[in-house]
Every structure is written in C-alpha cells, then in structure tokens.
Amino acid sequence: MAEYRHSEYTHRGPLQEYDARVQSGRLRDDEHQRTLVQALQDLHDDLLEYNPPKVVQPTIESLQPKKKSFFGSLFGGGDDEMLKLQIPSELPKGLYMYGDVGSGKTMLMDLFYDTLPEHIQSKTRIHFHNFMQEVHKELHKMKMAHGNDVDAIPFVAAHIAEKATVLCFDEFQCTDVADAMILRRLIESLMAHGTVLVTTSNRHPTELYKNGIQRESFVPCINLLMDHLRILNLDSTTDYRKIPRPPSGVYHHPLDTAAQRHAEHWFTFLGDFDNDPPHTATHHVWGREIDVPRASGRACHFTFQELMGKATGAADYLELVRSYDTFVITDVPGMNARSRDLARRFITFLDAAYEARAKLVLTTAVPLTQLFMSRDEIGDALNEGSKSGVPGVAKAKEDGADVDDAMRSLMDDLGMNMDMLKNSSMFTGDEEAFAFARALSRLTEMGSQEWVERGMGLEKDGGKKEAEDWQKVRSNWRQDSA
C-alpha cells in the first residue's frame, strides 16, 4: 500500500493546527467546524496513549478450510470455519466523516493526517478505490499460490496492518459486488491486527451500497462501521436559533475522552442556555422529592446512577417526562443477569420516555447490542434460540453471523428478538422477555434521525414553526396523561 502524504505538523495536534491556520487567515473560525476538529483532537489524544500490538502474520495452514471429520459429517457437526479474529478492546475508536461536496472533508483529513503523533510511524493515506484495487490484486495472488479455498483476507490484512497503524481512506464507498462481499471481513481483520481507521465519504454508512446486489451480505459491514467508528456529519445544519446541530448521533460508546463532550454538546443544543442557564431542579411525586442535577429549558442531564438512584418507579418517570422533552444520561453501564433489577428500572424509564416521544442522549460503556446482556449471555441465548428452531436466529447462526450482527438484526425485528429472548433461560417469563425485546427495538427507533430531529426547529425542516407545532403536540399529550 503506497503512502502518498507525509506529515508536516507532528509537533502540534489538530486543534492547535486549526487555531494556527485561523490565526494566519488560511481558515475562517467556524463553530461547527471547530466541533469536528475537536473530534479529530480526541482521536489524536487517544493515539498518543496507543501502543499498537505487534502484527502477527497468520500461517497459511490456519487459513486453509477446516475439513469435517468422519463423525462430524455423519452427525452434521464440524462445519468449515474461517479463522476467528477478535478486535482488541484497547483499539481507539476511529472516525467516519461524511458530507456533501464542499463540506470540508479533504481539509479535515489533511489536518488529522498532518498532525499524527510522532510515534505513529506506520501510516497510510490512500483513495479508497485505489486501495480496493490493490487488495483484490493481492487476494488474487494468494489464490493463485495457495488455491481458491484459502481464506486470504486475514493474510492480506496483516501485510497492510504492518504498514499502517493508522489507515486513512479518502472517499469510502461501495459500488461493486466484489468489494461488498469482502469488506466486512477485511475491515474486521485490519482492526483485529490493531489498525485504526479514519475515512471520509459522501454518505452515511447506512446509505452505502444501497440497492446493491446481495446487499444483505453487506449489512454486517455497515454494523461494523457503526460500532467501531465515530460517525460524524460534516454538513452544517442549524436550528432557528442559528445554533449548529451536533455532528454525531445521540448515542456514544465507549466511555472515552469524547463521551463527556458528546453529552455536553447535545445538552447545550437541546437545552436553552441563554434564557435558562443550567440549574438544579426538584419535583414532587406522592410526597417524595426527585432531584434533577442539571436542567435547562426542557432538557435535563443525569448520570445513570443519579437517575436510577433518585427516581426508581413508573410514577417518578412519568413526572419527569411531563416536565422534560430531552434526557441526557451519561455513564450507562453494560447490564447482565446479575444487574437485572437495574435493567428493569431502566427499561421502565425507557418506556415512559418513548411513550412521551422524548429525545434520549446516551453515553454507554458498551454498544447498544450489549446493553442488557453481556456478549456471553447473548451467545448463549442465540445458541438456545437456534436449537429451538427460532427462524431468524437459526439463519443467523447458519450464516456465521457474530454476536453483534445477530443482535442488530434482532433489534430491527421485535418479533424475532422476542422469540430469541423467550428461549433464553435468563428471563423469568414471556412478559419479561417481551419488555427487554421491546426496549432494544425502541432504543433503535429513538436513535434514528427522524426521531431525533423531530421538533428541533432545524432550518431545513421549517425552523421555529416546526418547533412550535411539535410543542403543541407534546402539550396536548401532557394534558391527556395528567
């Protein structure tokens, strides 16, 4: 992989370099752009602490298909398996920056690449189309040398990773079925070898390869990008107050250096700092007090422990959703069988927020797919569901989907999700399984662009009138539920 750009500003980070360019007149200071540069700085700071693992080249033997044993053939076990690769938990979360022509993609990538920390010696920046051409060439060489059955992708990925601790793509896109079929495994292999990805694109990950041949085979790649890269919208969108909408989605994981900033950006945007600066508030339910640590306008801000500790039942949550339209909740842990009571309380809150059409901003320790069940518990539930013949689960297992892929599919399909969880021994009955299944489905919907932007008063949607019309709808709901 040819590196075509050399760093020139290794002595300062993206934010310092941005300030220097503004000072010199090369760039105009812009609030939205500064927020994006701060995201570059967050990753830069993570890379300062990153000690990439030594790349271990897989042996050719490990990449050959595992043949079924005689007994495995008789009893249906021992299916061929590809080499399993695990993405290290300490891998810094990369960036996926998307926007239209003129949104500053090239400038931001220049800024990031030119200021990479000095100890990152192995780095590559390349146009994505050229990168994929080289990958296909290398895969072809492997097949010619070792046969068509060899699992060549981890081998090729290891060679790339040796030359790129940080790999930057310009114009990530997928228009070719040959690319679509290998991209998920290629990116997963690069990450497993310790490579941090940063890419620009002209479209959101969910819009990639839209209407392409066998697109369902490409969806796991989209899920991988969504889970392991921070997705940033470069197109500047403002509301009727001329305040730029935060460039990221409303959910953020893990609890890294960017998490607190993510929550603060959304709280500032969805609150009303000018007319109602952040303050504490107290509400009363049945003679008890519920303290709100921070409130502004119709937005409130809790840590997970503050919300679960101060408000513990449905009546408390109903009072809160009558008083606030937006909930910013930080430091949400991954829950499992041992914290089932905590999960039940959180789900009761989620149901109240969903029914009230409230906005929800979260910073979580784990991806949404693992919010209520650990990876091991999900794996066990999938195995139990597969043995019981749950259609979607059985097919996911058949297709070799991993835990996160399978859970994302289930989150998009409440019925399938319900069937899988009903077969899990972790739930005391169908009603509890349904509550958890529905919570996962609702979290997905509450994170959608349509849900988040409704009532924001964005200029593109009608500005102040759109915000006022939505407030009337919310006001009617509050009167009906009083």
Side-chain angles (χ1 to χ4, degrees):
M1 288 301 142
E3 178 187 331
Y4 68 73
R5 191 174 187 89
H6 297 284
S7 297
E8 302 162 12
Y9 304 94
T10 51
H11 59 289
R12 53 192 178 201
L15 208 49
Q16 287 177 298
E17 180 57 30
Y18 179 75
D19 286 337
R21 294 183 188 187
V22 168
Q23 193 72 32
S24 68
R26 291 171 62 191
L27 291 175
R28 181 175 59 83
D29 200 0
D30 176 88
E31 186 182 349
H32 175 68
Q33 208 164 65
R34 183 171 287 280
T35 303
L36 296 167
V37 175
Q38 181 63 64
L40 302 181
Q41 185 67 46
D42 289 339
L43 178 53
H44 179 94
D45 292 345
D46 287 342
L47 288 170
L48 285 171
E49 305 296 323
Y50 182 49
N51 185 21
K54 182 173 169 47
V55 176
V56 178
Q57 186 69 259
T59 63
I60 298 301
E61 291 72 28
S62 71
L63 302 175
Q64 298 289 358
K66 309 293 185 292
K67 299 299 180 187
K68 289 183 182 179
S69 67
F70 174 70
F71 289 107
S73 300
L74 281 178
F75 298 109
D79 290 345
D80 293 356
E81 284 191 355
M82 291 188 292
L83 181 69
K84 296 289 184 191
L85 293 164
Q86 191 71 38
I87 297 173
S89 58
E90 63 274 13
L91 182 75
K93 196 168 188 176
L95 293 171
Y96 182 107
M97 302 179 284
Y98 73 98
D100 292 333
V101 174
S103 59
K105 293 193 288 280
T106 303
M107 183 277 287
L108 288 165
M109 185 66 95
D110 287 348
L111 201 59
F112 176 75
Y113 194 82
D114 289 345
T115 59
L116 275 169
E118 289 183 336
H119 77 284
I120 303 291
Q121 293 297 310
S122 304
K123 50 188 179 287
T124 299
R125 181 177 175 187
I126 188 169
H127 193 282
F128 187 70
H129 177 70
N130 296 342
F131 173 78
M132 290 308 297
Q133 282 187 320
E134 290 195 40
V135 166
H136 283 296
K137 196 188 302 176
E138 294 302 315
L139 290 175
H140 178 69
K141 283 185 195 170
M142 281 287 289
K143 302 276 186 187
M144 293 295 289
H146 303 287
N148 284 329
D149 291 336
V150 72
D151 178 21
I153 291 175
F155 191 86
V156 171
H159 274 295
I160 298 168
E162 283 178 332
K163 300 172 187 173
T165 298
V166 175
L167 179 56
C168 297
F169 294 134
D170 287 297
E171 301 299 336
F172 188 102
Q173 59 178 323
C174 183
T175 56
D176 184 88
V177 66
D179 290 351
M181 293 304 101
I182 67 166
L183 258 175
R184 182 263 165 84
R185 187 144 171 78
L186 176 64
I187 292 172
E188 186 177 49
S189 298
L190 287 167
M191 289 179 176
H193 287 305
T195 294
V196 177
L197 294 184
V198 177
T199 185
T200 64
S201 181
N202 61 2
R203 59 189 64 197
H204 189 277
T206 55
E207 298 294 309
L208 291 169
Y209 198 53
K210 207 156 191 183
N211 303 319
I213 298 168
Q214 297 181 51
R215 188 177 190 264
E216 66 280 0
S217 300
F218 184 70
V219 170
C221 179
I222 294 172
N223 295 341
L224 189 71
L225 295 172
M226 297 283 285
D227 280 346
H228 292 279
L229 302 182
R230 190 176 173 190
I231 314 299
L232 297 174
N233 184 354
L234 305 188
D235 297 323
S236 179
T237 305
T238 59
D239 67 0
Y240 64 92
R241 302 168 298 176
K242 306 300 181 190
I243 300 176
R245 177 199 190 280
S248 60
V250 287
Y251 302 149
H252 178 97
H253 87 276
L255 301 176
D256 55 12
T257 52
Q260 187 176 350
R261 201 171 288 113
H262 166 87
E264 205 56 39
H265 279 158
W266 277 107
F267 186 46
T268 304
F269 181 73
L270 294 168
D272 186 6
F273 280 33
D274 287 343
N275 299 309
D276 185 27
H279 57 276
T280 58
T282 303
H283 299 267
H284 297 86
V285 178
W286 296 348
R288 288 184 297 104
E289 290 187 348
I290 306 172
D291 294 325
V292 178
R294 294 177 75 200
S296 171
R298 295 195 58 81
C300 61
H301 189 304
F302 291 88
T303 66
F304 180 80
Q305 285 302 330
E306 285 169 343
L307 179 63
M308 294 297 101
K310 293 176 188 296
T312 57
D316 297 1
Y317 302 136
L318 285 172
E319 172 60 26
L320 287 172
V321 300
R322 287 191 194 105
S323 304
Y324 300 101
D325 300 340
T326 295
F327 293 83
V328 178
I329 304 171
T330 61
D331 305 311
V332 181
M335 288 161 269
N336 54 36
R338 292 189 300 279
S339 50
R340 193 60 75 225
D341 286 343
L342 202 58
R344 288 190 191 101
R345 258 187 279 161
F346 190 50
I347 286 171
T348 302
F349 162 75
L350 287 176
D351 286 341
Y354 178 88
E355 296 296 342
R357 301 297 183 262
K359 299 191 197 311
L360 183 64
V361 178
L362 299 177
T363 66
T364 62
V366 295
L368 290 189
T369 49
Q370 299 168 40
L371 199 56
F372 298 121
M373 301 166 73
S374 69
R375 283 186 70 91
D376 289 344
E377 289 171 343
I378 295 167
D380 291 343
L382 286 170
N383 285 330
E384 290 168 20
S386 179
K387 286 174 190 170
S388 303
V390 178
V393 176
K395 185 173 189 315
K397 294 285 289 179
E398 227 174 75
D399 294 344
D402 76 357
V403 162
D404 289 325
D405 286 338
M407 278 303 284
R408 275 194 178 273
S409 299
L410 295 167
M411 285 170 76
D412 291 339
D413 186 332
L414 180 57
M416 200 195 305
N417 190 341
M418 173 63 185
D419 288 341
M420 190 267 287
L421 294 181
K422 270 169 58 178
N423 282 281
S424 168
S425 57
M426 285 185 303
F427 299 102
T428 55
D430 288 1
E431 191 175 329
E432 183 177 60
F434 178 74
F436 276 76
R438 186 177 60 190
L440 287 169
S441 179
R442 286 180 167 183
L443 275 171
T444 302
E445 188 180 351
M446 293 170 85
S448 68
Q449 183 177 351
E450 181 186 0
W451 185 286
V452 172
E453 292 187 352
R454 184 174 51 199
M456 265 188 188
L458 296 179
E459 288 184 322
K460 69 182 178 68
D461 296 329
K464 192 169 186 178
K465 185 178 185 308
E466 191 265 347
E468 289 172 345
D469 288 347
W470 177 241
Q471 279 307 320
K472 287 174 189 170
V473 172
R474 290 269 304 165
S475 179
N476 291 337
W477 173 83
R478 280 192 293 272
Q479 288 173 11
D480 292 343
S481 63

